[in-house]
Amino acid sequence: MAGFFQKISFRIWLPFALTLSLMMLVVAFYYPREQEKLFRANKERELKELAKTVALGVELSLRADDFQGLKKTIDFVSGTSDFEFVAIIVEDSVTAKENVFISYPEKPQDEILNLNPDLYVYQKYPFRTADFVGNILISASKEKINELVFNLNKPVYIILPIILVVSLLLFFILARRISRPILQLTKTAKELEAENYAVVIPVTQQKDELGELSNAFASLRDSLVDQKERNMQLTLGLEDEIKLRTEDLQSTQQKLIEAQKVARIGHYEYFFSDGHWESSDVLDDIFGIEKNFKKDLNSWNGIVAPDYQVEMMSYFIDLVTNKKKFSRDYKIKRINDGEFRWVYGLGEFKYSESGIPYSLSGTIQDITDRKLIEEEVKRLSLVARHTSNCVIIADGQKKIQWVNDSLIQLTGYSFNEIVGQTPRMFQFEKTDPKTLAYISERLDDNLSVNTEILNRGKTGNEYWLELNIVPITDAHGGLSGYIAVETDITARKMADEELRKSQEALKKINETLEQKVLENTKKNLDLSKSIVEQEKLATIGEISAGIAHDLNTPLGAIKVGTESVHFTFEALLANNISKCSDAQLKRAIEIAKSRTVEIYVGGLQLMRERKETIAYLQATYGSERENLAQIAEMMVKCRILVQDTQIMDEVYKWDNPLDVLELINNIQIIGNLLDTIKTSVDKASKVVKDVRSFIKTETTVDRTRVNLHDNISTVLSIFNYELKRNINLVFAVDQNICIEGYDIKLFQLWSNLIKNAIESMEDYPNKNISVRSVLYDGKVDILVENTGPVIGPEIIEKIFKKFFTTKQGKNGTGLGLSIVKNVVDEHGAKIAVTSSEEVTTFKVTFNDPILLS
Amino acid sequence: MRRITIIIALVFSITAGGKLCAQVSMSGVTVIGNKIGFSSNTSKEIKQIFRGKYANWSTNSQVIIVLPASKSVSAEVVATSIYGNTVSGVQKYWLSLVFQGRANPPVFLDTDEEIITYVKKTPGAIGVVSVGAQNIPRNMVIGINN
């Protein structure tokens, strides 16, 4: 309702309405009054005229007997609407008193003579005849007159309100019409304000102000729509960008969290004011604490491993005093399982303006796994450092980063002189350029290298090395460096040289012999024997490099083992024995003896066993013992496992289980090392024995039962070095086959066949040798196969002839296969050669094999 | 003259009615009528008729009274014999009757001849003439019984 009165249509209408109503009121009041006044005056005049007419009628009737005229007059008068009565009043000539002569309609005289002015209006008119004088009185009813007046004004009373209402209505419609465009524009403006740009604004041709306003609105709307569109685009662009950036940010954050989880890095902040600290989820996980763990100085001290607490405290004080950054490794003890973990802490202090530290924040990373690896690396580097072989570690540019003591001793250079140089520093003019080119070629292709090379030391000492270089690749297959293991083979080389010289001499003798053979007969068996011996020597010479290597390997192991025994034994004497009672000592030795220990047990197994042990101990004895986890770890190391709880309980109940366990462990380690040393010594002995049995003379050997498997495997063990280095060997001779024969001669037979096979494949990438037996029909075939070059039929024809060689100028004597033929003949056996692209086979067929049950 | 008229009137009335009528006893006047439903009546009744007692005849025709004008010679005699009043009194009598609408106004004529002629032409008219009036048709004379 209030809104209606504030509407523009109402406000246009109101003045009109007021003006009109006022006019109407004035008319309604004024016009009937005037009308009445006029009417009453007229009425008086009319009455007077009527009175006059009646008077005239009376006079005429009396003077001229015209009663017809009188009648008409009376009829006329009495016919008027408001007529009340008419009377003839006469004056008494004597008393001058008025009397009513007659009245029509008849009324009492008193009433006529004393007319009530409230009820009547009247007029008098005199008349006079000869004997009759008086007045005519005519009267009208006031009530009737009033009625007439009212009827007269009645139309005014009816019409005026109608006119008023109709006019007001018309004005109102008009006002609505005038205000409509304004309302329309107001509504439009509101729609626009509400961003409804689809609203229709009538474009008008009207030239008045409203038309202009409407058109201005339309163009304003267009401009708004345009502006809105641009804003929308801008907003959308911004939203998209914000969305993209938010996604980027979220993904970065997610990655960071993932990275922290993977790297096991957590974040912390320590506040000096109240000693409380805050930590991230990852850190809580590292510390093994729950969300509601109370984080203050006390609880922190509970997390740091007991043996690190004092050290950490002094480190902390040093940092604060000297305003340094926190950066160090230390050990913690996890709250939930008591496990000890290595962590790496980083942190920075924040200082107030007065220089007082108020917080320390940074990261803590769980580096236990890395520490385990580091320990392993330490052990490995101990091996590398102490091996008799020379070890060089170089980077991808072949610059030397590390060498071991053996190399320093061999070359005579100091560590610092070597590091940063390339191995070129050891090479000189006598070093074979082909070998160097070969090494470069292989390494460029990321392939390992096995070769021999002549180098020179600081003092000018020349030495031969057997060189084994392995490229090291990183996780992505990229080259990260090289490891070279070098064996000093100068001695072998010297022997080779001597051998070469003797072969030369032999060749000369052969030439002479040939002459003699040609001159004399081929019946000189002594000479033949001597040649066999020579061949034997040549074989020994050729295999001596392998022998040297085979001896060197166990000797290196013996050296490392002995050093470790020494080291461990010192620890045993210095730390362990003194801390244990005699009874414990005795028991420890018993326990140590009863268990087989591996020095390095793999990570996963170790962790599982450690967890099992911790679980058992906690379940059985509770968690009070603060070094429970350490004890469990040592138990696992000593191989006291949950399968053997009796000993576990016994050890755990001692006051100083850690000392006893360490004692047990060290005894076990020593035992283990001694085993290793013994095995190595056995290996070396076997090599020596093999060589010795090979060079025994056949004359003292009788024909015996020879096990073919054992016989051939002895020969293979002599060629062990070459075979193992780069040849794929298949050895499949039945262990139960024996023959009657001369084992030494058979050695010669196999060694020649195998040596030939090895040499034939020298330049071939895929080297395969197979030695196998085939048993059938009272015979046995020994097949010696290689994947070397094809032997042509013209060569096969002559292959077993004495002095026939395809290795002219390359140490070939032409005796090997003739010896083979001789041995085969001596055993009543046969030999055949077949050769194809795939395989070359020497088949030796023995009769009457003896089978062991 | 007046006497002669009355006699003639009487004679005529006898002739007209085929009966012999007695002589009017109202002195000096002769009453005449045209188709008024009766040819004779009592003087009292005649006087009543002339005083405007009836508006219509028994025949339903309107009663038209014809009197001599007040300035005519027979006015006074008629006033005396019929109304028992003066001429002026008769006038006032008729003034009051007509004023109140109680009777049709009578026709006043100046001479007897005019009255006779008027009655002759007007059915329902009743008039009065002096006794001596001439040429009164016999059938118009109304006999007066005592």
Side-chain angles (χ1 to χ4, degrees):
Chain A
M1 203 61 204
F4 175 77
F5 291 120
Q6 282 164 2
K7 271 194 176 172
I8 189 158
S9 51
F10 176 75
R11 285 193 267 171
I12 292 171
W13 173 80
L14 186 66
F16 282 106
L18 286 175
T19 311
L20 197 66
S21 304
L22 200 62
M23 275 171 67
M24 291 294 174
L25 269 176
V26 169
V27 170
F29 179 73
Y30 179 75
Y31 178 79
R33 270 173 66 94
E34 286 303 305
Q35 200 72 346
E36 187 182 342
K37 233 156 111 185
L38 203 61
F39 182 81
R40 287 188 197 279
N42 267 345
K43 198 84 232 169
E44 268 180 35
R45 252 197 314 276
E46 191 195 338
L47 279 179
K48 194 142 207 155
E49 288 301 313
L50 286 176
K52 196 173 168 183
T53 306
V54 172
L56 199 61
V58 169
E59 276 181 8
L60 272 176
S61 64
L62 292 180
R63 277 187 197 154
D65 298 323
D66 188 1
F67 288 94
Q68 292 288 344
L70 179 65
K71 185 178 187 291
K72 280 180 186 169
T73 303
I74 295 300
D75 286 345
F76 173 70
V77 169
S78 63
T80 53
S81 55
D82 50 351
F83 172 78
E84 195 62 27
F85 68 93
V86 63
I88 298 170
I89 297 165
V90 291
E91 256 179 66
D92 192 303
S93 54
V94 182
T95 61
K97 200 182 170 187
E98 283 188 329
N99 288 314
V100 176
F101 172 71
I102 190 100
S103 62
Y104 173 72
E106 199 161 2
K107 280 191 185 285
Q109 176 158 305
D110 287 350
E111 196 179 320
I112 293 172
L113 291 179
N114 303 299
L115 269 178
N116 183 351
D118 291 336
L119 297 174
Y120 307 103
V121 288
Y122 63 92
Q123 287 291 326
K124 282 182 179 171
Y125 201 85
F127 68 91
R128 180 179 291 271
T129 56
D131 58 351
F132 205 54
V133 178
N135 283 301
I136 297 298
L137 188 145
I138 186 160
S139 168
S141 156
K142 224 171 187 179
E143 192 188 343
K144 280 186 181 169
I145 288 172
N146 285 342
E147 196 177 319
L148 281 172
V149 169
F150 177 76
N151 285 340
L152 187 72
N153 285 322
K154 208 154 128 188
V156 177
Y157 295 134
I158 292 168
I159 289 169
L160 270 183
I162 291 171
I163 290 173
L164 182 64
V165 167
V166 170
S167 303
L168 289 179
L169 202 64
L170 281 173
F171 274 127
F172 185 68
I173 291 165
L174 193 64
R176 284 282 298 254
R177 271 192 79 85
I178 292 170
S179 66
R180 186 173 298 153
I182 295 166
L183 290 174
Q184 177 74 36
L185 287 177
T186 310
K187 195 182 161 198
T188 308
K190 279 179 181 167
E191 292 282 346
L192 289 181
E193 195 184 2
E195 301 191 352
N196 175 15
Y197 297 113
V199 65
V200 178
I201 300 173
V203 175
T204 169
Q205 296 302 318
Q206 272 177 262
K207 290 295 177 190
D208 60 10
E209 291 86 338
L210 283 173
E212 279 175 21
L213 184 58
S214 178
N215 290 342
F217 245 86
S219 67
L220 179 64
R221 191 266 315 263
D222 292 347
S223 135
L224 267 173
V225 168
D226 199 32
Q227 195 65 38
K228 162 107 174 164
E229 182 64 27
R230 272 183 282 172
N231 279 345
M232 282 281 279
Q233 279 169 1
L234 188 66
T235 313
L236 281 177
L238 278 174
E239 275 176 4
D240 283 352
E241 196 154 325
I242 288 167
K243 202 179 164 195
L244 275 178
R245 289 192 180 177
T246 311
E247 279 171 5
D248 264 5
L249 208 61
Q250 282 171 347
S251 111
T252 308
Q253 197 179 2
Q254 193 57 36
K255 280 177 193 161
L256 195 66
I257 291 168
E258 288 297 321
Q260 287 191 350
K261 273 185 191 167
V262 170
R264 296 197 52 75
I265 295 181
H267 178 263
Y268 70 91
E269 189 160 15
Y270 171 75
F271 299 92
F272 285 85
S273 54
D274 55 0
H276 96 278
W277 47 279
E278 290 164 2
S279 51
S280 65
D281 292 349
V282 178
L283 192 56
D284 288 351
D285 188 41
I286 292 170
F287 285 171
I289 58 179
E290 298 294 327
K291 277 272 172 217
N292 53 7
F293 184 76
K294 192 173 182 232
K295 295 172 180 173
D296 56 18
L297 205 51
N298 271 339
S299 61
W300 168 249
N301 282 331
I303 289 170
V304 176
D307 44 351
Y308 274 82
Q309 283 173 0
V310 176
E311 197 183 331
M312 286 293 284
M313 192 53 74
S314 63
Y315 175 72
F316 203 77
I317 290 164
D318 176 46
L319 293 184
V320 176
T321 316
N322 298 311
K323 299 202 170 179
K324 289 184 197 162
K325 287 184 179 177
F326 189 107
S327 168
R328 66 163 297 161
D329 296 349
Y330 56 97
K331 242 173 155 179
I332 58 151
K333 188 180 163 193
R334 286 166 61 88
I335 295 296
N336 57 353
D337 56 11
E339 196 181 308
F340 287 92
R341 304 289 292 181
W342 275 99
V343 295
Y344 171 57
L346 262 178
E348 210 160 319
F349 290 96
K350 285 180 190 158
Y351 296 93
S352 65
E353 283 177 8
S354 52
I356 298 165
Y358 69 84
S359 78
L360 168 65
S361 64
T363 59
I364 290 176
Q365 183 176 14
D366 185 343
I367 55 163
T368 311
D369 295 342
R370 198 180 80 199
K371 276 280 177 186
L372 284 174
I373 293 166
E374 274 177 14
E375 279 174 12
E376 192 158 337
V377 167
K378 256 187 210 165
R379 289 184 190 123
L380 287 174
S381 76
L382 191 71
V383 174
R385 196 179 296 279
H386 293 296
T387 181
S388 60
N389 289 346
C390 302
V391 179
I392 298 176
I393 297 173
D395 64 12
Q397 278 73 47
K398 296 168 187 158
K399 281 190 178 162
I400 297 169
Q401 293 175 315
W402 187 83
V403 294
N404 69 349
D405 293 345
S406 297
L407 190 105
I408 291 167
Q409 277 172 14
L410 183 67
T411 59
Y413 290 103
S414 73
F415 185 83
N416 289 336
E417 281 172 321
I418 297 169
V419 168
Q421 303 288 326
T422 68
R424 288 263 172 200
M425 68 181 292
F426 304 119
Q427 288 140 21
F428 66 115
E429 62 276 4
K430 277 166 121 182
T431 308
D432 189 359
K434 282 184 193 165
T435 310
L436 293 177
Y438 171 69
I439 294 171
S440 293
E441 193 187 314
R442 296 279 298 179
L443 295 187
D444 286 349
D445 294 342
N446 269 0
L447 296 168
S448 66
V449 178
N450 273 308
T451 189
E452 292 170 0
I453 192 167
L454 182 63
N455 276 2
R456 187 166 66 183
K458 192 179 183 182
T459 55
N461 57 317
E462 297 173 12
Y463 53 87
W464 276 96
L465 290 175
E466 160 133 18
L467 183 59
N468 188 354
I469 307 172
V470 181
I472 312 295
T473 51
D474 59 25
H476 308 289
L479 181 70
S480 65
Y482 303 95
I483 294 178
V485 180
E486 300 171 338
T487 312
D488 185 354
I489 55 163
T490 313
R492 196 188 86 193
K493 277 288 174 182
M494 299 289 266
D496 281 356
E497 185 60 20
E498 274 175 22
L499 184 65
R500 193 180 58 78
K501 281 174 186 166
S502 56
Q503 276 180 338
E504 265 172 25
L506 187 63
K507 204 170 180 186
K508 278 176 188 166
I509 293 163
N510 282 346
E511 279 164 11
T512 321
L513 276 172
E514 202 162 1
Q515 286 294 321
K516 284 178 181 172
V517 166
L518 284 171
E519 283 167 8
N520 303 311
T521 64
K522 289 176 188 174
K523 293 176 186 172
N524 197 332
L525 291 170
D526 290 344
L527 183 58
S528 184
K529 270 185 184 173
S530 143
I531 289 165
V532 171
E533 293 301 316
Q534 290 290 344
E535 179 65 20
K536 200 192 288 176
L537 278 175
T539 309
I540 294 163
E542 278 168 25
I543 64 175
S544 62
I547 296 163
H549 180 269
D550 286 350
L551 282 177
N552 210 12
T553 308
L555 284 175
I558 292 164
K559 189 174 181 240
V560 174
T562 318
E563 279 170 0
S564 299
V565 169
H566 179 69
F567 177 77
T568 317
F569 197 66
E570 273 185 353
L572 197 75
L573 292 175
N575 301 326
N576 308 132
I577 294 175
S578 57
K579 289 179 186 169
C580 303
S581 68
D582 286 350
Q584 283 176 335
L585 206 56
K586 196 179 163 199
R587 188 72 185 116
I589 290 165
E590 280 170 13
I591 292 169
K593 267 183 170 176
S594 67
R595 328 204 93 67
T596 311
V597 179
E598 289 165 47
I599 292 176
Y600 307 113
V601 176
L604 271 178
Q605 189 194 343
L606 189 71
M607 281 168 76
R608 180 175 51 75
E609 288 171 351
R610 193 168 55 202
K611 274 186 186 162
E612 284 172 358
T613 311
I614 289 172
Y616 172 77
L617 291 178
Q618 280 179 341
T620 314
Y621 301 102
S623 316
E624 294 91 37
R625 209 161 201 164
E626 64 175 0
N627 56 358
L628 187 143
Q630 262 177 295
I631 292 169
E633 192 165 0
M634 278 309 288
M635 280 182 172
V636 172
K637 267 191 184 173
C638 296
R639 312 310 297 154
I640 300 171
L641 302 175
V642 286
Q643 291 84 349
D644 202 355
T645 50
Q646 195 186 337
I647 297 177
M648 199 177 266
D649 293 342
E650 180 187 348
V651 173
Y652 193 76
K653 281 172 188 164
W654 283 330
D655 297 335
N656 53 347
L658 267 182
D659 292 332
V660 182
L661 283 168
E662 210 167 312
L663 179 67
I664 293 169
N665 189 232
N666 280 340
I667 291 168
Q668 286 169 330
I669 288 170
I670 288 168
N672 226 313
L673 289 168
L674 287 175
D675 283 349
T676 309
I677 291 166
K678 187 175 176 294
T679 311
S680 302
V681 169
D682 289 346
K683 274 185 193 164
S685 303
K686 188 167 182 294
V687 173
V688 172
K689 195 179 149 200
D690 287 346
V691 173
R692 276 182 61 197
S693 66
F694 183 69
I695 53 184
K696 278 179 188 170
T697 59
E698 101 274 30
T699 48
T700 58
V701 175
D702 295 326
R703 191 178 172 92
T704 55
R705 182 179 287 184
V706 180
N707 183 310
L708 283 179
H709 176 273
D710 295 349
N711 187 264
I712 296 169
S713 69
T714 305
V715 173
L716 289 175
S717 71
I718 289 163
F719 290 99
N720 189 31
Y721 173 65
E722 272 90 358
L723 291 172
K724 277 203 178 148
R725 194 173 59 176
N726 53 8
I727 295 170
N728 181 24
L729 173 70
V730 176
F731 181 50
V733 174
D734 193 327
Q735 291 185 4
N736 299 320
I737 301 172
C738 297
I739 57 162
E740 292 290 328
Y742 311 96
D743 62 351
I744 296 301
K745 290 195 180 208
L746 289 172
F747 280 156
Q748 281 179 290
L749 170 63
W750 307 129
S751 64
N752 272 299
L753 288 179
I754 289 163
K755 192 183 79 180
N756 278 352
I758 292 169
E759 283 174 353
S760 75
M761 294 185 296
E762 204 167 32
D763 302 325
Y764 275 61
N766 289 321
K767 301 178 179 182
N768 297 291
I769 291 177
S770 159
V771 182
R772 58 198 173 93
S773 60
V774 180
L775 191 67
Y776 65 96
D777 299 339
K779 290 179 182 178
V780 62
D781 287 346
I782 301 296
L783 303 167
V784 180
E785 295 167 326
N786 71 72
T787 52
V790 182
I791 305 170
E794 73 284 352
I795 294 170
I796 291 175
E797 200 180 305
K798 293 185 270 183
I799 201 162
F800 295 109
K801 292 206 168 149
K802 202 175 267 180
F803 303 117
F804 176 80
T805 178
T806 55
K807 295 177 274 186
Q808 203 71 51
K810 287 193 285 179
N811 305 337
T813 59
L815 292 171
L817 283 177
S818 73
I819 293 166
V820 166
K821 186 78 173 75
N822 284 338
V823 175
V824 167
D825 291 344
E826 277 181 59
H827 285 81
K830 283 177 182 170
I831 183 159
V833 186
T834 55
S835 182
S836 71
E837 285 288 343
E838 288 80 35
V839 66
T840 297
T841 311
F842 284 79
K843 183 172 82 180
V844 182
T845 309
F846 294 101
N847 294 319
D848 306 322
I850 302 150
L851 290 178
L852 301 179
S853 57
Chain B
M1 171 79 177
R2 199 170 283 164
R3 224 172 258 166
I4 298 164
T5 307
I6 292 168
I7 295 164
I8 291 166
L10 284 172
V11 170
F12 262 100
S13 67
I14 295 162
T15 311
K19 290 185 258 184
L20 193 67
C21 294
Q23 195 59 42
V24 177
S25 63
M26 282 185 286
S27 59
V29 290
T30 304
V31 175
I32 59 173
N34 181 7
K35 294 180 183 172
I36 54 173
F38 60 91
S39 57
S40 68
N41 216 326
T42 61
S43 60
K44 194 183 172 187
E45 193 62 29
I46 293 295
K47 282 179 186 174
Q48 291 286 353
I49 291 166
F50 276 104
R51 286 174 181 261
K53 187 179 180 180
Y54 305 107
N56 292 304
W57 301 114
S58 56
T59 56
N60 281 333
S61 59
Q62 196 187 342
V63 175
I64 300 166
I65 296 164
V66 183
L67 292 173
S70 53
K71 293 188 176 84
S72 73
V73 289
S74 53
E76 199 164 345
V77 69
V78 169
T80 307
S81 59
I82 300 283
Y83 296 96
N85 207 330
T86 61
V87 174
S88 175
V90 171
Q91 275 186 317
K92 285 176 184 171
Y93 175 74
W94 277 110
L95 176 66
S96 60
L97 279 188
V98 170
F99 198 88
Q100 289 188 324
R102 282 188 281 157
N104 292 323
V107 178
F108 286 94
L109 294 171
D110 284 344
T111 61
D112 290 340
E113 287 80 10
E114 282 176 283
I115 293 169
I116 292 163
T117 307
Y118 185 86
V119 173
K120 216 173 151 183
K121 301 192 288 193
T122 311
I126 187 167
V128 63
V129 289
S130 59
V131 175
Q134 303 284 316
N135 303 325
I136 298 172
R138 274 186 182 268
N139 58 349
M140 283 173 62
V141 176
I142 303 300
I144 295 164
N145 307 322
N146 285 317

